Amino acid sequence: MAKNMAENKTLHYALRVLQLIFAIIVMGTDGYAIHVFRGHTVYEHFDYGNFYDYYGVPNAWGFLMFCAAWTVLIVIFHLIAGIRFADRALVGYIRVAVEAVAVLSWLAGFISVAVQISTDTCSAGKSSCGPLKAATVFGAFEWLLFMVTAALTVMLVFDSSRKPRTSTRPGAAV
């Protein structure tokens, strides 16, 4: 049954479209949270001197945006690689590596943003918290989608690499 799921083109395209839709949602919600968040300057007083420190948008928010943009490129790569170079072994291994990087990126991205939701950066009085929570939830769903597609890609690539290849030339000895 798992082999049939891995070879099902309709399921593959449906999962990729869902990944693309969720990436667009994460881009929109995270981008809005970044836009609404206003960096602020804090006057720091120390025994050795005083200075103004600027607190900008947290890096985790930008990393989640990177994960969403990276997903768009991954979906395009998988659609092109699945159509044009489906029988190449090296492209199959590259597809597995890209899936693994995407899984780890989304895991790190949504967890790092989720950790910051409960801190001072996103307190109840700030308007960037709602969209940030939505971006975190959709980031978690994106990670789950990539877990599914990574498993299907691994099954497809490593199962197809064990099959003997047949020649497509007419008259070739089999």
Side-chain angles (χ1 to χ4, degrees):
M1 181 175 162
K3 183 180 176 191
N4 292 338
M5 285 177 54
E7 293 175 353
N8 189 350
K9 293 283 187 190
T10 306
L11 178 66
H12 175 75
Y13 290 137
L15 289 173
R16 296 296 176 192
V17 166
L18 275 175
Q19 286 175 340
L20 197 59
I21 290 170
F22 284 0
I24 292 170
I25 291 171
V26 169
M27 275 189 214
T29 54
D30 191 34
Y32 181 74
I34 289 171
H35 172 72
V36 170
F37 183 83
R38 300 285 186 225
H40 56 278
T41 305
V42 176
Y43 181 72
E44 299 284 347
H45 175 70
F46 292 101
D47 292 337
Y48 302 108
N50 305 326
F51 69 94
Y52 287 96
D53 195 12
Y54 178 76
Y55 291 101
V57 176
N59 293 334
W61 300 9
F63 182 70
L64 195 65
M65 183 68 77
F66 164 77
C67 290
W70 169 245
T71 298
V72 172
L73 295 175
I74 288 172
V75 169
I76 292 169
F77 168 73
H78 278 290
L79 292 178
I80 291 172
I83 294 170
R84 298 263 323 204
F85 307 107
D87 60 341
R88 306 276 192 243
L90 180 62
V91 173
Y93 296 133
I94 292 171
R95 288 174 66 184
V96 170
V98 166
E99 286 282 340
V101 169
V103 166
L104 294 175
S105 296
W106 276 106
L107 180 66
F110 91 84
I111 287 177
S112 64
V113 173
V115 166
Q116 288 190 343
I117 287 177
S118 63
T119 63
D120 295 347
T121 306
C122 186
S123 60
K126 297 186 180 179
S127 60
S128 62
C129 292
L132 194 62
K133 289 177 184 177
T136 304
V137 169
F138 278 102
F141 286 143
E142 190 80 59
W143 172 72
L144 287 174
L145 279 173
F146 268 107
M147 288 293 290
V148 171
T149 58
L152 294 176
T153 302
V154 166
M155 284 189 292
L156 183 66
V157 167
F158 289 117
D159 185 47
S160 67
S161 65
R162 285 187 238 133
K163 293 179 185 174
R165 301 216 177 195
T166 60
S167 175
T168 57
R169 291 184 307 163
V174 177

